[in-house]
Amino acid sequence: MSNTSDPGLSGLRSRFPALQRELGGRACIFADAPGGTQVPESVISAMSSYMRRGGANVGGAFVTSTETDEVITQARRAGADFLGCDEGEIIFGSNSTTIAFHLSRSIARLVGRGDEIVVTKLDHDANVAPWLILAQERGATVRWVDVNLADCTLDLDSLEAALSARTRLVAFTLASNATGTVTAAGEVVRRARAAGALVIADGVHAAQHRLLDAHRAGLDILFTSPYKYFGPHLGMAYVRRELLDSLVPYKVRPSHDVGPGRWETGTQNHEALAGLTAAINYIAAIGARPGDAGDSRRTELETAMKLIGSHEAAMSTRFLERLPLLPATRLFGIGEPQRAGERTPTFAVRVEGESPRATARRLADAGIFVWDGNYYALAIMEALGLEDSGGAVRIGFCHYNTVGEVDRTLEALAPAGVTEGFAARG
């Protein structure tokens, strides 16, 4: 990968057809990774190959049906390797938000009047709204965990104050899709467990940047979205086996009565499941040692995410070191370069005197794609006082971005008249 800091990632950009796109004769910069990544050719091929062979629904006596059964089996195995769990604990759906709402209906049966639900102001609303609705319908009380606004980290004292003997579930994010904050997950889980609560984690943003381990983390539920880690639009979740088996799903009567399949209502997106396996295999291949076929996929994923993490930390450090050269740009979140390991390369910023949409349009004109608004992280935007004025600009990089693209994005972010001086000091 040209202009990256890690030789272990060289050549990966060429595997992504979208990264070859140009506007006005310049290569586009996809700095919108938190909203969804581009996909490598292997994922596109896996999805189209499934459809070209002839797809079918599951459980049939003919070859295209048995092939679909195998596609689902392979996807569940890949998902289990990716999330550090057993394949019988992986469920699929159209997206993680839909899975969350689906599970919340069944979890509601465990919650009664006077019980308490804990959510955080750092989360995407997909890990907030299902539990707010659950609480409202069951007569439970909602307790909010505050955010330290200076660096957009979770306030652990606020978490402690929110917990009680009546706490039935704690929902939190492993990493903020708005500010890039990586939460102190171990501490959150420890305190939630001490209160006897279910622990539900949103790993949608984190999974692109950190290798997750649902068992080791002690989670009951973990949501992810494969389109955030180089796969197709799809939802995937881990649910602890004992919990998955004990909950009663809302489903049609002829469907599965045991196993994760009973949670997958209706016909699944089989071509997307083929793409999911290819996406996880793509990541694993980054960590494969040449000529060594002895490593497990999980081992390869561990190596791959270390390489990815090293490169992403270099990009975060570069962004944080150079951002002070743009005094009119304010960052919301961890800003010290030495703390780059506590965040993902996702940055929420505002340019003085310019609306987030105007900034995003200005960058778009330069071929740089970024998001603006609240990105469904409603509570943190409200806490920061940004929601009513358009939220913030979100600049997000992943492993296929380069340090050179970080520099080009910062130069484009600079208001008119500042760019030349900024570039000269690089």
Side-chain angles (χ1 to χ4, degrees):
M1 184 180 295
S2 61
N3 295 324
T4 68
S5 59
D6 197 318
L9 300 181
S10 61
L12 294 183
R13 284 179 65 88
S14 64
R15 303 184 190 183
F16 290 80
L19 300 187
Q20 315 311 312
R21 183 165 182 166
E22 295 184 351
L23 282 178
R26 297 193 72 183
C28 298
I29 295 178
F30 291 84
D32 59 342
T37 56
Q38 305 309 309
V39 299
E41 184 62 46
S42 58
V43 171
I44 299 170
S45 177
M47 295 176 70
S48 62
S49 293
Y50 171 82
M51 300 178 82
R52 286 194 181 97
R53 288 195 307 271
N57 218 319
V58 298
F62 50 97
V63 64
T64 49
S65 180
T66 57
E67 287 173 351
T68 297
D69 291 337
E70 182 62 18
V71 164
I72 296 172
T73 296
Q74 292 302 320
R76 223 180 291 282
R77 288 175 181 168
D81 285 343
F82 192 66
L83 297 185
C85 62
D86 300 328
E87 59 189 83
E89 297 173 310
I90 292 290
I91 63 175
F92 301 116
S94 57
N95 51 67
S96 61
T97 303
T98 299
I99 296 175
F101 275 107
H102 183 32
L103 288 170
S104 72
R105 296 183 70 192
S106 297
I107 292 172
R109 293 171 171 148
L110 307 178
V111 178
R113 187 168 299 277
D115 287 340
E116 297 176 354
I117 305 297
V118 175
V119 296
T120 90
K121 294 182 179 180
L122 194 60
D123 274 74
H124 187 292
D125 211 55
N127 200 31
V128 175
W131 318 120
L132 297 185
I133 294 171
L134 180 157
Q136 181 182 33
E137 293 181 346
R138 302 297 293 176
T141 299
V142 176
R143 305 292 186 193
W144 286 88
V145 178
D146 290 327
V147 175
N148 299 307
L149 297 182
D151 61 1
C152 296
T153 55
L154 274 185
D155 184 338
L156 294 179
D157 290 336
S158 176
L159 169 65
E160 191 66 33
L163 297 169
S164 76
R166 299 295 298 177
T167 305
R168 293 295 172 263
L169 71 85
V170 175
F172 78 106
T173 186
L174 298 180
S176 168
N177 75 305
T179 66
T181 307
V182 175
T183 55
E187 192 61 25
V188 175
V189 173
R190 183 186 70 79
R191 298 187 189 198
R193 285 281 179 231
L198 289 176
V199 186
I200 301 172
D202 178 355
V204 172
H205 183 68
Q208 184 186 120
H209 308 285
R210 303 283 195 278
L211 184 62
L212 307 184
D213 194 321
H215 282 178
R216 183 175 296 177
L219 302 173
D220 291 301
I221 298 174
L222 171 62
F223 300 112
T224 72
S225 295
Y227 72 95
K228 301 292 181 75
Y229 44 90
F230 323 108
H233 285 88
L234 186 71
M236 181 175 76
Y238 152 84
V239 185
R240 180 172 53 84
R241 185 183 298 274
E242 295 79 8
L243 179 62
L244 190 69
D245 291 343
S246 65
L247 293 174
V248 179
Y250 288 75
K251 68 180 188 68
V252 296
R253 290 173 296 171
S255 67
H256 296 283
D257 287 323
V258 296
R262 69 194 186 115
W263 291 92
E264 295 164 354
T265 55
T267 300
Q268 296 299 295
N269 188 337
H270 302 138
E271 58 270 26
L273 291 173
L276 165 65
T277 301
I280 293 173
N281 285 341
Y282 159 76
I283 299 171
I286 297 173
R289 294 179 294 181
D292 188 347
D295 286 343
S296 69
R297 180 162 50 195
R298 180 68 183 184
T299 298
E300 292 175 346
L301 286 166
E302 290 171 351
T303 302
M305 295 310 288
K306 288 177 182 177
L307 288 169
I308 288 171
S310 176
H311 173 57
E312 291 187 344
M315 288 193 292
S316 290
T317 299
R318 181 71 165 183
F319 189 94
L320 296 175
E321 285 177 343
R322 302 198 81 190
L323 189 64
L325 299 175
L326 304 177
T329 301
R330 179 183 176 186
L331 173 72
F332 301 90
I334 295 170
E336 301 90 338
Q338 63 270 25
R339 295 179 63 191
E342 299 175 44
R343 55 145 50 250
T344 69
T346 293
F347 309 94
V349 301
R350 291 278 297 251
V351 177
E352 185 178 346
E354 190 172 53
S355 72
R357 176 51 61 97
T359 303
R361 283 174 174 159
R362 183 160 58 81
L363 292 179
D365 289 342
I368 302 169
F369 307 151
V370 301
W371 282 105
D372 66 282
N374 61 30
Y375 354 107
Y376 290 84
L378 177 62
I380 184 61
M381 289 298 162
E382 291 176 336
L384 291 168
L386 301 176
E387 176 61 20
D388 291 340
S389 59
V393 175
R394 183 178 65 183
I395 301 170
F397 303 106
C398 66
H399 80 276
Y400 56 57
N401 293 114
T402 70
V403 172
E405 288 182 327
V406 173
D407 288 345
R408 184 178 148 197
T409 300
L410 284 167
E411 291 167 9
L413 190 63
V418 178
T419 305
E420 182 177 350
F422 173 82
R425 295 179 63 180

